[in-house]
Structure formats: structure tokens, C-alpha cells
């Protein structure tokens, strides 16, 4: 029986985006080190039953967490006062940075957080969850946060501003914000400054060691009060591990939560989770130590050589260009209008390459997002050939066009007034609904993506939420033993 279930798991996974093989340029981070992967799986399994709820009951987990925070502290030029927490992922690290900043000022009635418009959507989620006003400052032409616009946004209500955020680098364009200027303006006003280095935090320090130009962004920068770094991205650890570091224990204090107001154990939590598996922490501890600083030097060198080759190669593909010279390992591509990025994404997927379309934003056209990692970098010559071929085929097909009448109809829709039947109709019209309530993604997503791109952001959100709602419906009766 167990054999059969594991075989079923393998069968279920066959339809997933490949996590290995070097052709998935979003979602997965692959070191290409099979022996490290094997170690990680063993560590994950060995600690999957332990519980991070109480570090006195599981001193092993406390030890591993403090070890990882200590390693990160060295990497991020932290002062001796630094403290940190292992969280479940980048989103949780960012949420906690906002929550701690908010709760450090209980007397501020309508707290606000100032972010560049390129900031990760996790901060919009934080604002939504925690009732904080998100004040969005436009970025500069080069896609980096604008210190002037940021200062202006802060100064509209400096007393209510509890946090200023910048990215190292931003997810969408892969460039590092001017952290020195932003942190200085925050510090001058006595406001916390968080650097979201979820995706770059385990790359940029090694890039700097390799002699690459890296603008200052760590705790070496005055005024930086907290930094988020995901381990499950470029530290290549299994999913479920990220770090949030604060410059001092006092800055972290409001992040901690205790409750004695119930008849059970006195709850004492450092993160949003309470019971949490020790597996991802143990696996992260194992992987970080197995790869080691020289190992990461090599992985980062390999990855950045791939980025250089990709940027140079894209320059030679007529019709395609890099949106911004990458500061790290993320590359955004756009077309010259002779073809469209959504068709390119389909063409690439048809040839086994998975890239992520990014919708148009703030008057800029849609782009393709490519996350390179150590295992994908050596494939860049093949990727460039695939990109060139995709552009040829996409040009032959012509840019995917949304019927202007449909676009006008969609643009006029008011999401709040739409009924479930309206959403059913919209999803069907978009090709996202099959017969009999069965939802299947169409083979080619270009038309769907073009339509979503034409939709106003609020409508796009509402349609996708309706889509997710219909995707996630229980499968009943699949195992007859459970249905009577
Ligand atoms: C990935 C990412 C996040 C969110 O991290 P998750 O691990 O997906 O929750 C936040 N900020 C940046 C810059 C990221 O790249």
C-alpha cells in the first residue's frame, strides 16, 4: 500500500512545472548540487515531527535558528546588537517587519508605511492584513526607488509613518534601490527602514566578494533597521525558510507575541505561526553549512555569468530587450511591439522553458520575468536560442490582440457590482472555464493574459480570485472508504 501511494504521488507530480532540469525560470531555485539536495531531504524528514512552538522543549531548533541568524548577520554586515528570526518565507518576514513597525507605535492611530511602487506585493498584503495605510511613491525612470518622492510621501504625515521600505533588488525589474539615501531620510525622521532582500540577500554579498559592483544595502548602511532574506530562494534550502533580522533587540520586541489570557499554556510566539515544523529550519541549517561560503561564491559566480550571457545575448535578438540592466540574478524582458510577451511565454513553455509573464504596470508594457539560478545559468545559450526562435514564431503570429470592444467592455466593469454568474461568464469568455464546472487552463495562455492585462487592476484581482475560488473545490468520493 505505501508503495502504491508514493507511486501515486509521483504520478500526480508529473503535470507540475519541473523543479529540476534547469529550464524553470520562476518558482524554483536549484543549486544543481544533487548531494546537497539529498542531505536537505534527509534533514527535512529527520526534523519534520519536531515543533518550533517552544525552543526550550526543542533546544536543537533554538540552536539551529541562532546559528543561521548568526551566519546571516556576518553576511549582512550586522552590528553586534543584531537579532533575528527564522520565518516560513519571504511573505511572513515582510508581514512581520510591517507588524513590528506598526506595534512599536501603539499611539499612532492610522499608521502608514511608505514604499516604492515596485515593492513586492507582500507589503500590500501586510497593509491589508494589519490595517496600515500603504503610501506608494513612484520609482525613477531607472525603476529604482526615488528618494525625493519617498521623502515627499513621508513628509505628508511623518508622525504617522512607521516604516519606509526599499528592495535589494526588486522582484519585477531586478534592480537595487538607493538604500543609502532612503535609509538616511528615514533615520533623519526617526522612522524604521526595512530592506526587502528576500530574493537578493543571499546573492549580493557574494557578488560583492567576487568584485562585482553592488550598491550598499546591508546593515553597513546607517538607518537600515531590518532586513528580510529568504533562505528558500538563493540559499537553495527547501521551501519554508526565510530570515528577518533587526538591528537591535528593541526593534524586534513588538514582533513577539505572548498571551496569558486563556486556560492553556501561556502562548509565546516569535512569528505568525505557533506550532511549526522544525523540518525547513533543520534543512536550511544543513544546506547552508553543506554549501558553505566558498560554495555560495561558486554558485553566485556561475549564476551571474549566466546573467551576463543572457543580457549580452538578448542584445543580439531583434525585437527583444532587457528592461533594466540587472543588479542581481533577475532579468525582465520586453518586446519592441513586433510581438508580445504573452505569446513568447507560450512559445517557450511549448519548448520546455518556463518564464513568468508580468502584466503592464504604471503605464509600462508587460514584461517577461526570468529568475536565473545556478542550475539554469549553464543553459543560457540554449535559452537564448529558444528565445530567438520564440520571437520568430511570435512575430509570424503577430501580437495577440484583444478585441477593442471586449477591452472597452471589460474596462467599464465595476468589480464590486459583479455577481457570481457574471464571474462565471467572464471566466468562460476568458477561456478559463471548461464544461461541467471543470476548470482547465487552456493550452495557450496568451489570449487570457492579454485580456487580463487589458483589465483594470481591481477587475483583474477580482476575476483571478473568482478563478481561484472555482479551482479550489473539494474532490469528494475519490476514495470510496471515506464516503459513506
Ligand atoms: C519572493 C519575494 C518575497 C515573498 O517571498 P515568499 O517566499 O514568496 O513568500 C518578498 N519580497 C521579494 C523581493 C521577493 O522576491
Amino acid at each position: 500500500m505505501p508503495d502504491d501511494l508514493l507511486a501515486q504521488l509521483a504520478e500526480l507530480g508529473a503535470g507540475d512545472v519541473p523543479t529540476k532540469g534547469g529550464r524553470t525560470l520562476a518558482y524554483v531555485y536549484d543549486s544543481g548540487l544533487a548531494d546537497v539536495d539529498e542531505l536537505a531531504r534527509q534533514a527535512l524528514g529527520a526534523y519534520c515531527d519536531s515543533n518550533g512552538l517552544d525552543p526550550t522543549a526543542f533546544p536543537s531548533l533554538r540552536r539551529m535558528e541562532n546559528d543561521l541568524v548568526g551566519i546571516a548577520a556576518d553576511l549582512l554586515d550586522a552590528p553586534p546588537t543584531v537579532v533575528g528570526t527564522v520565518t516560513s518565507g519571504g511573505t511572513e518576514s515582510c508581514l512581520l517587519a510591517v507588524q513590528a513597525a506598526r506595534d512599536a507605535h501603539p499611539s499612532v492611530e492610522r499608521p502608514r508605511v511608505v514604499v516604492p511602487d515596485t515593492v513586492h506585493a507582500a507589503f500590500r498584503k501586510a497593509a491589508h492584513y494589519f490595517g496600515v495605510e500603504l503610501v506608494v511613491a513612484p520609482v525613477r525612470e531607472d525603476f529604482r526607488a526615488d528618494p525625493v518622492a519617498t521623502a515627499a510621501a513621508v513628509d505628508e504625515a511623518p508622525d504617522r509613518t512607521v516604516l519606509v521600505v526599499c528592495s535589494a533588488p526588486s522582484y519585477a525589474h531586478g534592480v537595487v534601490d538607493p538604500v543609502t539615501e532612503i535609509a538616511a531620510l528615514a533615520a533623519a525622521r526617526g522612522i524604521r527602514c526595512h530592506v526587502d532582500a528576500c530574493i537578493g540577500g543571499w546573492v549580493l554579498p557574494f557578488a560583492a566578494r567576487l568584485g562585482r559592483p553592488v550598491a550598499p544595502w546591508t546593515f553597513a548602511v546607517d538607518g537600515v533597521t531590518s532586513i528580510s532574506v529568504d533562505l528558500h530562494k538563493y540559499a537553495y534550502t527547501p521551501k519554508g525558510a526565510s530570515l528577518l533580522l533587526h538591528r537591535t533587540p528593541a526593534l524586534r520586541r513588538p514582533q513577539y507575541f505572548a498571551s496569558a489570557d486563556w486556560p492553556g499554556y501561556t502562548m509565546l510566539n516569535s512569528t505568525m505561526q505557533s506550532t511549526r515544523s522544525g523540518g525547513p529550519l533543520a534543512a536550511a541549517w544543513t544546506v547552508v553549512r553543506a554549501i558553505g561560503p566558498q560554495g555560495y561564491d561558486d554558485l553566485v559566480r556561475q549564476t551571474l555569468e549566466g546573467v551576463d550571457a543572457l543580457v549580452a545575448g538578448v542584445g543580439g535578438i531583434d525585437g527583444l530587450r532587457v528592461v533594466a540592466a540587472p543588479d542581481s540574478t533577475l532579468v525582465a524582458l520586453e518586446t519592441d511591439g513586433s510581438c508580445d510577451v504573452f505569446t513568447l511565454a507560450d512559445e517557450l513553455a511549448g519548448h520546455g522553458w518556463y518564464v513568468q509573464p508580468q502584466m503592464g504596470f504604471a503605464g509600462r508594457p508587460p514584461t517577461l520575468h526570468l529568475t536565473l539560478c545556478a542550475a539554469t545559468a549553464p543553459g543560457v545559450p540554449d535559452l537564448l536560442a529558444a528565445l530567438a526562435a520564440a520571437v520568430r514564431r511570435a512575430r509570424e503570429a503577430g501580437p495577440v490582440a484583444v478585441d477593442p470592444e471586449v477591452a472597452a467592455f471589460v474596462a467599464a466593469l465595476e468589480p464590486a457590482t459583479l455577481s457570481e454568474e457574471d464571474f462565471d461568464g467572464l471566466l468562460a469568455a476568458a477561456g478559463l472555464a471548461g464544461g461541467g464546472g471543470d476548470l482547465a487552463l487552456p493550452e495557450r495562455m496568451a489570449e487570457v493574459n492579454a485580456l487580463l492585462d487589458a483589465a483594470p487592476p481591481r477587475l483583474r484581482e477580482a476575476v483571478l480570485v473568482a478563478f481561484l475560488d472555482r479551482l479550489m473545490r473539494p474532490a469528494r468520493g475519490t476514495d470510496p472508504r471515506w464516503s459513506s
Side-chain angles (χ1 to χ4, degrees):
M1 199 56 170
D3 282 358
D4 176 50
L5 287 174
L6 291 177
Q8 285 184 37
L9 278 182
E11 204 179 304
L12 285 173
D16 294 350
V17 166
T19 58
K20 302 285 167 194
R23 289 184 161 210
T24 304
L25 303 170
Y27 308 113
V28 299
Y29 303 80
D30 183 3
S31 68
L33 305 172
D35 49 342
V36 174
D37 288 346
E38 184 47 37
L39 265 181
R41 286 191 195 103
Q42 288 184 25
L44 197 61
Y47 273 80
C48 70
D49 299 322
S50 67
N51 191 343
L53 171 67
D54 183 347
T56 64
F58 294 91
S60 60
L61 299 181
R62 168 173 167 261
R63 165 74 197 275
M64 288 187 260
E65 178 155 346
N66 284 336
D67 282 352
L68 281 172
V69 172
I71 290 170
D74 287 338
L75 209 53
L76 304 182
D77 310 316
T81 53
V82 79
V83 292
T85 306
V86 172
T87 73
S88 65
T91 298
E92 190 178 21
S93 294
C94 296
L95 289 174
L96 289 172
V98 172
Q99 175 267 324
R102 182 197 69 173
D103 291 344
H105 300 276
S107 61
V108 172
E109 265 179 29
R110 287 180 300 132
R112 62 208 291 274
V113 172
V114 174
V115 299
D117 66 13
T118 51
V119 84
H120 194 280
F123 288 90
R124 297 184 185 265
K125 187 175 185 178
H128 176 70
Y129 277 14
F130 299 139
V132 166
E133 181 189 347
L134 200 72
V135 182
V136 179
V139 297
R140 303 185 309 213
E141 279 290 296
D142 65 358
F143 300 100
R144 291 178 178 83
D146 184 347
V148 177
T150 304
V154 171
D155 287 338
E156 282 163 18
D159 296 344
R160 289 200 288 120
T161 306
V162 297
L163 184 67
V164 176
V165 182
C166 44
S167 313
S170 62
Y171 182 86
H173 304 112
V175 295
V176 175
D177 287 334
V179 175
T180 304
E181 287 85 343
I182 305 266
L185 75 86
R189 292 158 177 80
I191 299 169
R192 293 179 180 223
C193 175
H194 178 77
V195 179
D196 179 11
C198 277
I199 202 157
W202 219 266
V203 172
L204 296 173
F206 301 99
R209 280 159 53 137
L210 294 170
R212 297 213 168 218
V214 176
W217 65 275
T218 61
F219 284 109
V221 176
D222 283 339
V224 170
T225 54
S226 58
I227 299 180
S228 49
V229 180
D230 288 350
L231 296 170
H232 65 197
K233 286 178 180 157
Y234 284 99
Y236 298 110
T237 78
K239 298 277 185 281
S242 171
L243 290 162
L244 173 60
L245 274 70
H246 295 275
R247 188 181 280 274
T248 66
L251 288 162
R252 182 178 63 179
R253 189 69 46 81
Q255 177 197 314
Y256 282 5
F257 178 81
S259 180
D261 273 341
W262 75 307
Y265 56 88
T266 300
M267 187 142 100
L268 180 59
N269 291 158
S270 58
T271 69
M272 299 181 66
Q273 296 182 304
S274 202
T275 287
R276 53 173 173 152
S277 170
L281 170 60
W285 186 89
T286 306
V287 168
V288 163
R289 295 169 64 97
I291 296 178
Q294 273 74 41
Y296 285 112
D297 279 342
D298 292 341
L299 294 173
V300 168
R301 182 186 300 111
Q302 184 174 330
T303 310
L304 292 177
E305 283 171 4
V307 172
D308 293 343
L310 179 63
V311 171
V314 165
I317 301 177
D318 190 36
L320 208 58
R321 59 177 172 251
V322 169
V323 176
D327 287 336
S328 186
T329 53
L330 316 175
V331 181
L333 301 178
E334 63 187 355
T335 73
D336 63 359
S338 62
C339 57
D340 69 280
V341 293
F342 303 128
T343 303
L344 288 181
D346 283 348
E347 290 291 343
L348 288 166
H351 290 79
W353 291 95
Y354 296 92
V355 302
Q356 201 173 45
Q358 303 184 131
M359 301 288 159
F361 179 74
R364 308 275 319 185
T367 58
L368 285 184
H369 174 99
L370 282 63
T371 290
L372 284 195
C373 62
T376 52
V380 163
D382 291 343
L383 171 62
L384 286 166
L387 275 168
V391 169
R392 268 199 309 280
R393 286 189 301 268
R395 279 182 159 175
E396 280 163 25
V400 59
V402 178
D403 183 328
E405 274 181 43
V406 173
F409 172 74
V410 163
L413 291 174
E414 185 48 60
T417 66
L418 296 176
S419 67
E420 288 305 315
E421 289 69 35
D422 292 333
F423 280 116
D424 284 333
L426 276 172
L427 289 169
L432 286 174
D438 244 8
L439 283 172
L441 287 183
E443 188 87 342
R444 297 182 69 87
M445 286 295 293
E447 282 75 16
V448 177
N449 280 327
L451 191 59
L452 289 171
D453 187 51
R458 293 298 81 74
L459 179 67
R460 193 195 307 154
E461 291 163 0
V463 167
L464 289 175
V465 166
F467 177 57
L468 184 61
D469 170 57
R470 285 150 178 79
L471 272 184
M472 306 313 290
R473 293 293 170 93
R476 305 185 65 166
T478 53
D479 181 340
R481 294 173 307 154
W482 292 93
S483 43
S484 52

